[in-house]
Amino acid sequence: MDVIDRKILHELQANAKISMKELAQKVYLSSPSTIERVRRLEENGIIKGYKTIVDAEKLNRNITAFVLFETTKCKDLAAFCSVHPDVMECYRVAGKISYIAKVCTESVHTLEEFIDKAMEFGTPSTNIVLSSYTNMELKLSQDTSSG
Amino acid sequence: MDVIDRKILHELQANAKISMKELAQKVYLSSPSTIERVRRLEENGIIKGYKTIVDAEKLNRNITAFVLFETTKCKDLAAFCSVHPDVMECYRVAGKISYIAKVCTESVHTLEEFIDKAMEFGTPSTNIVLSSYTNMELKLSQDTSSG
DNA sequence: ATTGAAACGCCAGAAAC
DNA sequence: GTTTCTGGCGTTTCAAT
């Protein structure tokens, strides 16, 4: 993990489908060495995968919400959330709230259905997203630790 | 937006760097038609981009937390969050809580620093993530609406 | 208009230095 | 890490539905 690897991760986070040739130019290296660095980053698990980001609203998923749960049934709630198609992410957290689900659903009506079912596993408090800023990029510092 | 487009989006969400040839085989189409469909999905903005997912812990970002704010200074808080390198995502939400920031930071100490600074813009309540499930995939139903 | 087939150009991967 | 080389993929064009 040197400064070049961090630059590579920066570029790949912004655009996973950049060609290795163009990536090599951006980091001032030849294509083969760049490819080898990317391969190592994949092998080390530092690169976990390449995902396509889709526009939820354009696919009729108009409501995004964070549903916060006070519950003692985290296992059951996790099982419920992991198979529910509207749940994008969920988190076991430390605090008064013990579970957070990010849901992306068609309407307030389908959100209501989700909440009704989820109430079996805890007490939800729902926060509908009005606007968001998600760069989804891990900004890497210039220290030389880890890797 | 037909069933083939949804299959394409499903495959691309799982792996953005799948070759168009392999993708074509999965959806039982020729490469050119598959490429053309992907191009249209990009043009329509249904595909917003391709991102590389990196392992935060392997890069010394050991603490992920959701910081919930009660505040009336959303604009200022948004400005602060959008330039802070540890903030991965933030959301303006409707409810008693009015702002949610997802932060990914090196340690509880750097998290403390973030909270101290953020307190200028509202009252934070911090929920450290213990474990998570994030498929990050929008599961598409079989209806024919939108597009 | 959109799909499927073939040729072209270019990129990714391997070997040698 | 760089250069060279080759195989294979993505892209474009064209014909057909």
Side-chain angles (χ1 to χ4, degrees):
Chain A
M1 273 303 295
D2 59 7
V3 64
I4 297 176
D5 282 332
R6 282 192 286 275
K7 184 89 190 292
I8 287 174
L9 288 175
H10 171 69
E11 297 295 339
L12 283 179
Q13 283 184 95
N15 176 18
K17 288 187 86 169
I18 187 175
S19 79
M20 289 298 108
K21 185 181 182 182
E22 191 180 345
L23 180 59
Q25 288 169 351
K26 283 180 183 288
V27 301
Y28 305 106
L29 247 61
S30 67
S31 288
S33 14
T34 306
I35 291 171
E36 176 62 18
R37 278 171 179 269
V38 172
R39 196 195 60 76
R40 277 201 299 262
L41 289 168
E42 290 171 347
E43 198 174 58
N44 296 339
I46 292 173
I47 291 177
K48 290 166 79 174
Y50 304 94
K51 299 221 167 182
T52 298
I53 310 300
V54 305
D55 190 313
E57 287 192 25
K58 288 210 167 78
L59 294 168
N60 260 10
R61 302 293 197 90
N62 302 294
I63 303 289
T64 298
F66 284 91
V67 186
L68 317 176
F69 290 92
E70 293 186 34
T71 181
T72 55
K73 301 176 188 170
C74 277
K75 285 266 173 67
D76 296 332
L77 186 53
F80 170 73
C81 286
S82 66
V83 298
H84 196 289
D86 289 357
V87 175
M88 300 296 288
E89 312 163 24
C90 45
Y91 304 87
R92 174 90 159 88
V93 296
K96 186 181 183 187
I97 291 160
S98 49
Y99 212 79
I100 297 176
K102 183 185 178 184
V103 300
C104 192
T105 191
E106 191 178 334
S107 65
V108 287
H109 307 294
T110 50
L111 177 60
E112 184 177 9
E113 287 175 24
F114 170 79
I115 293 168
D116 285 343
K117 287 177 192 162
M119 284 178 79
E120 182 184 341
F121 307 107
T123 307
S125 86
T126 303
N127 300 270
I128 292 179
V129 172
L130 304 173
S131 63
S132 64
Y133 167 77
T134 67
N135 61 355
M136 296 295 242
E137 178 183 344
L138 199 67
K139 279 120 179 166
L140 302 168
S141 60
Q142 298 304 312
D143 63 46
T144 54
S145 53
S146 91
Chain B
M1 273 302 295
D2 58 8
V3 65
I4 297 177
D5 282 332
R6 283 191 284 275
K7 185 90 191 294
I8 287 175
L9 288 175
H10 171 71
E11 297 295 338
L12 284 178
Q13 284 185 95
N15 177 17
K17 290 187 83 169
I18 187 175
S19 79
M20 289 298 108
K21 185 180 181 182
E22 191 180 345
L23 179 60
Q25 288 170 353
K26 282 179 184 289
V27 300
Y28 305 105
L29 246 63
S30 67
S31 288
S33 0
T34 307
I35 291 170
E36 175 61 18
R37 278 170 179 269
V38 172
R39 194 195 62 74
R40 277 200 299 260
L41 289 168
E42 290 171 347
E43 199 174 58
N44 295 341
I46 293 174
I47 291 177
K48 291 167 79 174
Y50 305 94
K51 300 219 168 181
T52 298
I53 310 300
V54 305
D55 189 314
E57 287 192 25
K58 288 210 167 77
L59 295 167
N60 259 10
R61 301 293 195 90
N62 302 294
I63 303 290
T64 297
F66 284 92
V67 186
L68 317 176
F69 290 91
E70 292 186 34
T71 181
T72 55
K73 301 176 187 170
C74 278
K75 285 266 175 66
D76 297 333
L77 186 52
F80 169 74
C81 285
S82 67
V83 297
H84 196 291
D86 289 357
V87 175
M88 300 295 289
E89 312 164 24
C90 45
Y91 303 86
R92 174 90 161 88
V93 295
K96 187 181 182 188
I97 292 161
S98 50
Y99 212 79
I100 297 177
K102 182 185 178 183
V103 299
C104 192
T105 190
E106 191 178 334
S107 65
V108 287
H109 306 296
T110 50
L111 176 60
E112 186 178 8
E113 287 175 23
F114 170 79
I115 293 168
D116 285 344
K117 287 178 192 164
M119 283 179 80
E120 183 183 341
F121 307 105
T123 305
S125 86
T126 304
N127 300 271
I128 293 179
V129 172
L130 304 173
S131 62
S132 64
Y133 167 78
T134 67
N135 62 354
M136 296 293 240
E137 177 182 343
L138 200 66
K139 278 120 179 169
L140 303 168
S141 61
Q142 298 304 313
D143 63 46
T144 54
S145 51
S146 90

